[in-house]
Amino acid sequence: MKLTGSKILLESLLLEGVETIFGYPGGTVINIYDDLMDSSIKHILTRHEQAAVHAADGYARATGKVGVALATSGPGATNTITGIATAYMDSIPMVVITGQVPTGLIGNDAFQEADLIGITRPITKHNYLVKDVKDLARIIKQAFYIARTGRPGPVVIDLPKDVQMAITEFEYPEKVELRGYKPTFGGNVRMIEKAVKMMLAAKKPVLYVGGGATLTDAHAELMALAETLQMPVTTTLMGMASFPKRHPLSLGMLGMHGTYYANMAVTNSDVLIALGARFDDRVTGKISTFAPHAKIIHVDVDPTSIKKNVRVDLPIVGDLRDVLKKMNKKLAEHKDEVVQENEAIKPWLKEIAAWRKDHPMSYKHSKTEIKPQFVIEKLRELSNDDAIVTTEVGQHQMWTAQFFDFTQPRTFLSSGGLGTMGYGLPAALGAQAAFPERQVIDVSGDGSFQMNSQELATLVQYRLPVKIVILNNNFLGMVRQWQQLFFDKRYSQTCMELPIDFTKLAEAYGATGLRATKPEEVEAVIKKAFETPGPVIMEFKVSREENVMPMVPAGAGLNEMVLAS
Amino acid sequence: MRHTISILVENEFGVLTRIAGLFSGRGFNIESLSVAPTLDPTLSRMTIVTSGDDRIIEQVNKQLNKLIDTIKVIDFTGEDFIEREMALIKVTAEETTRAEILRICDIFRGKIVDVTPKCYTVEVTGSPVKVNAILDLLRPMGIKELVRSGPVVLGRGPKGWKGN
């Protein structure tokens, strides 16, 4: 069958199981958009290319499938950059297709030309400029394979207009042949046995769980390991929803705004088992005082993550879920030792319980002001267990991480690595497109929300009933907090001065706007929002100078937490 | 510490930039880099000289391996290998110094590849240490211009990389 490049693209997407894509048309993708009218692929038109990529990212995080975004050349393509970098930092499987000027014009400073391959090289797992339509099917096959295997990540396909129009025989390859790409899946059996022995002998073990647990859907295996050995579990922001916070072994999040008891447990541990985590500086604090007494076991699919920031005593390269399965299987052969271990770590669990009792995660309640933490707690109370929560970046993100008890995997979508303000709304859009029936909530601040607020239009147009929480303090709160604590309260450019009426903004787009200004109104507003069909903005006028606490100041060790400001 | 690393890569558009970008983006040093296609024209072989402590070099090796276009990476440090670099040296040749330049050239098994009334161009091949040595000897005569290829390396003995 002879097809044009643009038809080959759409046929290949269908063969990869793609149902929904997010994009924005333009001159160099007009052929693709023309063919899209006759395709069964659903296209969601965002109001900005950055949002299209974040939406594809949210879709991927919520479903585990590869997200797909489409944009035109030049400015369309450069608008995708923040979205691609966000996905790259958090290892999200994604394919971004961009139009490019015709091959004959590449390098000529043509209209809407940008060297997207050059620009995206450091923020993609791999990228392709398609110069010949004969290579297109193979490249798409490879792109999807690379995006979802090993350590997942975004792949860019830059597709010149003349290649979209050129005709060739279409045959979708069955196999991928990449001699330079052989991700490790299995995990070395002998290393796994050694790790099991170390865990059995540990007196003060801690499981430190990262985004790898989410990406490999390893929550059941993780639960089995933690419960068998009665090991306490702390997660990173990215690992958040892979272990239920209400579980007695859960220590919540560790790191800069983690719990006191998680950070104390890590600091005093004798064996630290890092599972699909990469020892980010927001997690470790000062490296020299990070887990100083611990032997470190590090399981990661990406060898470059191992020994990058910290010393590792036992590295295991492999798919986390597979490694955990093998560990659990091995443990089943050591029933007696497991019983002994359970007994031996009881004092450790008591020690942790004492830290938890001394300094639980808490905040000062108020009868007159709405505390942002209170809104998050109420939100949890009134939302469904399988609600998907996205966040932007800043104080509201940390409060969500601290006070929303996630119980199910893939229900917390947040930009951890890059820390992208403006991520949450389009990510919620993507997640809602994947799960039209589930509750999807974007928790936002007034600063972050305004970075992609144009996507309200997309929500209304496609009837995506995302519920948006704006914790409005009229500040860029996280930066203001740093200025308060470390810059003598000199609030340089962090006060947003102009108060926005977000309820009116919602109405302008045809969505619903609700507002609470007193604590007693919070519950009613949330209930009303969940009862209202379609997208809703809930604006909460929160106490303006509330801080995210506890906190490890930048450059300090995890054991030097500041508990209150 | 100085490390010499050979990398077998796909002979494709943009691969050199990927490697160079990796080094600059992650703050690794490149002292020299040379690249050319292998017997199999779909592959290129690069030789990179870099430096750093053990932790950095481990990262360099892992990060290079992680690139999709990289097929194999060998760090020759601690191995038995042959290292050769070529230099072309344009040196002032006065009546009084011509004989000395020829003698030095002879000692290093170099060749004079261009002669003009005012200067000689010397071609010399050897380890970087040897190239440095001849430069030290020629410097007093007046080196007008110099180009070095950066070293290329090959492991000693029959062992080799398949297919190239």
Side-chain angles (χ1 to χ4, degrees):
Chain A
M1 192 177 28
K2 282 201 190 284
L3 294 177
T4 60
S6 69
K7 281 218 164 72
I8 287 174
L9 170 69
L10 296 177
E11 286 301 312
S12 304
L13 292 182
L14 281 174
L15 289 167
E16 288 293 336
V18 175
E19 291 163 2
T20 307
I21 66 175
F22 305 87
Y24 204 102
T28 60
V29 284
I30 200 162
N31 297 75
I32 300 171
Y33 274 88
D34 188 61
D35 286 331
L36 206 50
M37 289 192 82
D38 308 320
S39 168
S40 63
I41 293 174
K42 186 179 177 195
H43 178 276
I44 290 181
L45 171 69
T46 55
R47 295 305 187 262
H48 191 292
E49 289 88 350
Q50 182 192 347
V53 181
H54 287 325
D57 174 310
Y59 182 93
R61 290 190 208 222
T63 60
K65 294 200 282 189
V66 179
V68 180
L70 176 59
T72 193
S73 62
T78 53
N79 275 347
T80 66
I81 299 305
T82 304
I84 295 170
T86 303
Y88 183 66
M89 288 292 271
D90 289 344
S91 309
I92 304 306
M94 185 191 291
V95 171
V96 178
I97 299 143
T98 49
Q100 182 53 281
V101 300
T103 45
L105 285 180
I106 291 178
N108 281 16
D109 300 326
F111 177 64
Q112 294 198 326
E113 179 185 0
D115 173 15
L116 196 73
I117 293 303
I119 294 169
T120 58
R121 204 171 279 124
I123 53 166
T124 50
K125 189 167 170 190
H126 199 54
N127 59 16
Y128 294 94
L129 172 65
V130 188
K131 286 180 160 173
D132 187 338
V133 71
K134 291 193 193 77
D135 298 330
L136 181 56
R138 171 183 60 82
I139 285 174
I140 297 168
K141 178 88 183 174
Q142 288 179 353
F144 274 84
Y145 178 74
I146 290 169
R148 70 171 168 254
T149 54
R151 177 176 182 177
V155 179
V156 164
I157 302 175
D158 202 24
L159 195 51
K161 192 176 165 84
D162 56 326
V163 178
Q164 296 167 32
M165 293 160 76
I167 292 172
T168 192
E169 187 66 32
F170 173 57
E171 196 184 339
Y172 202 57
E174 287 189 357
K175 268 194 199 154
V176 175
E177 276 166 47
L178 281 163
R179 49 188 170 179
Y181 180 65
K182 303 266 185 289
T184 311
F185 297 109
N188 183 300
V189 179
R190 274 190 39 224
M191 297 298 235
I192 290 171
E193 276 174 23
K194 267 192 193 165
V196 165
K197 275 191 189 141
M198 277 168 74
M199 288 190 274
L200 282 169
K203 300 277 182 296
K204 298 180 170 191
V206 173
L207 290 171
Y208 148 48
V209 178
T214 309
L215 292 166
T216 59
D217 291 310
H219 43 277
E221 290 77 8
L222 170 65
M223 177 65 78
L225 178 70
E227 287 192 333
T228 306
L229 292 176
Q230 286 296 299
M231 285 190 289
V233 180
T234 178
T235 74
T236 67
L237 191 75
M238 300 305 300
M240 181 68 67
S242 54
F243 194 81
K245 256 205 238 166
R246 290 173 198 156
H247 194 284
L249 288 170
S250 171
L251 304 179
M253 185 170 74
L254 80 165
M256 183 174 273
H257 292 299
T259 64
Y260 172 77
Y261 39 98
N263 285 342
M264 289 307 282
V266 167
T267 303
N268 290 284
S269 63
D270 69 345
V271 176
L272 184 69
I273 304 110
L275 303 173
R278 61 186 175 85
F279 297 88
D280 179 85
D281 53 277
R282 284 293 188 267
V283 160
T284 60
K286 191 162 72 188
I287 288 280
S288 58
T289 57
F290 178 76
H293 318 294
K295 293 242 185 263
I296 295 178
I297 300 170
H298 191 179
V299 185
D300 206 290
V301 74
D302 179 3
T304 66
S305 286
I306 293 173
K307 295 188 200 168
K308 186 175 68 180
N309 299 340
V310 299
R311 72 199 151 74
V312 169
D313 298 282
L314 187 74
I316 300 174
V317 177
D319 176 270
L320 180 59
R321 189 170 178 192
D322 186 86
V323 171
L324 287 175
K325 272 186 185 159
K326 285 178 180 156
M327 283 178 173
N328 288 330
K329 210 172 148 201
K330 203 77 215 156
L331 280 170
E333 298 167 16
H334 295 276
K335 291 233 164 74
D336 294 345
E337 283 112 311
V338 169
V339 175
Q340 284 166 17
E341 186 266 359
N342 283 184
E343 198 55 41
I345 69 164
K346 272 187 181 156
W348 174 233
L349 295 178
K350 268 191 197 141
E351 210 174 332
I352 292 173
W355 286 320
R356 192 195 295 260
K357 198 166 158 241
D358 287 350
H359 301 291
M361 189 54 83
S362 65
Y363 63 95
K364 249 196 215 132
H365 294 259
S366 165
K367 287 214 167 108
T368 51
E369 283 187 314
I370 301 179
K371 289 287 184 156
Q373 301 94 327
F374 173 70
V375 177
I376 303 295
E377 282 181 341
K378 276 286 160 205
L379 197 63
R380 163 75 298 182
E381 200 183 302
L382 299 168
S383 59
N384 298 336
D385 258 9
D386 71 345
I388 297 169
V389 177
T390 72
T391 73
E392 315 286 339
V393 169
Q395 288 184 314
H396 68 272
Q397 178 192 32
M398 288 300 110
W399 285 318
T400 309
Q402 290 177 332
F403 292 96
F404 199 103
D405 292 341
F406 292 93
T407 54
Q408 293 187 21
R410 295 193 182 275
T411 54
F412 178 60
L413 321 182
S414 191
S415 168
L418 197 67
T420 307
M421 291 171 70
Y423 168 81
L425 183 60
L429 187 167
Q432 189 80 76
F435 297 105
E437 304 302 323
R438 276 167 73 178
Q439 274 179 351
V440 178
I441 305 161
D442 169 33
V443 179
S444 182
D446 54 304
S448 282
F449 181 75
Q450 291 182 70
M451 283 212 175
N452 266 321
S453 60
Q454 79 285 346
E455 295 311 315
L456 278 171
T458 316
L459 294 181
V460 174
Q461 181 182 332
Y462 291 91
R463 300 197 162 98
L464 299 167
V466 172
K467 310 303 174 200
I468 301 152
V469 172
I470 300 177
L471 301 176
N472 187 355
N473 55 13
N474 220 232
F475 269 123
L476 297 176
M478 189 58 100
V479 183
R480 185 209 55 76
Q481 175 173 339
W482 281 50
Q483 288 171 336
Q484 178 194 336
L485 300 175
F486 312 118
F487 289 86
D488 254 351
K489 288 201 178 185
R490 286 158 58 86
Y491 293 164
S492 176
Q493 301 297 320
T494 43
C495 180
M496 303 293 267
E497 308 265 343
L498 180 78
I500 310 280
D501 185 337
F502 288 104
T503 60
K504 277 198 183 142
L505 183 73
E507 283 160 20
Y509 282 101
T512 307
L514 305 169
R515 181 185 294 124
T517 52
K518 297 187 202 99
E520 59 270 26
E521 294 166 357
V522 169
E523 187 164 325
V525 161
I526 296 173
K527 277 188 175 160
K528 179 93 193 292
F530 285 141
E531 286 163 9
T532 308
V536 179
I537 287 184
M538 296 169 252
E539 185 188 359
F540 298 96
K541 296 274 193 187
V542 296
S543 51
R544 293 196 69 204
E545 300 200 21
E546 187 71 17
N547 285 339
V548 179
M549 286 291 153
M551 178 179 190
V552 178
L558 291 189
N559 55 340
E560 299 170 83
M561 278 202 112
V562 178
L563 292 164
S565 58
Chain B
M1 193 180 149
R2 182 176 179 274
H3 285 247
T4 309
I5 296 170
S6 277
I7 315 160
L8 201 62
V9 294
E10 297 284 354
N11 185 8
E12 263 177 23
F13 162 84
V15 176
L16 180 60
T17 340
R18 279 187 210 284
I19 305 268
L22 169 65
F23 274 76
S24 63
R26 296 202 175 261
F28 303 146
N29 297 314
I30 298 186
E31 280 176 23
S32 74
L33 186 157
S34 74
V35 55
T38 65
L39 272 181
D40 174 351
T42 67
L43 296 173
S44 285
R45 181 162 170 154
M46 289 188 191
T47 310
I48 292 184
V49 179
T50 181
S51 58
D53 59 26
D54 288 353
R55 194 178 63 86
I56 301 236
I57 295 298
E58 186 176 335
Q59 272 296 311
V60 169
N61 277 286
K62 285 175 169 178
Q63 294 285 356
L64 285 170
N65 266 308
K66 189 170 160 178
L67 294 174
I68 310 285
D69 286 328
T70 304
I71 289 150
K72 193 158 184 168
V73 180
I74 291 189
D75 184 350
F76 279 99
T77 312
E79 305 268 323
D80 200 8
F81 65 95
I82 306 152
E83 184 180 31
R84 291 292 180 271
E85 177 177 21
M86 193 176 88
L88 295 172
I89 312 155
K90 202 174 275 181
V91 56
T92 311
E94 307 283 348
E95 233 167 275
T96 49
T97 56
R98 275 187 195 135
E100 179 62 7
I101 293 170
L102 280 174
R103 267 197 299 275
I104 293 168
C105 198
D106 211 32
I107 294 165
F108 284 88
R109 281 184 275 174
K111 280 188 289 190
I112 310 291
V113 290
D114 186 47
V115 181
T116 66
K118 291 267 169 75
C119 75
Y120 285 174
T121 300
V122 179
E123 175 198 315
V124 66
T125 304
S127 68
V129 176
K130 187 173 150 185
V131 174
N132 288 342
I134 190 172
L135 287 175
D136 285 344
L137 290 171
L138 290 176
R139 196 164 285 125
M141 327 286 174
I143 295 173
K144 294 161 90 75
E145 201 180 346
L146 162 75
V147 59
R148 298 174 74 152
S149 65
V152 293
V153 298
L154 210 55
R156 284 188 190 274
K159 224 167 66 181
W161 287 356
K162 212 180 124 217
N164 52 87

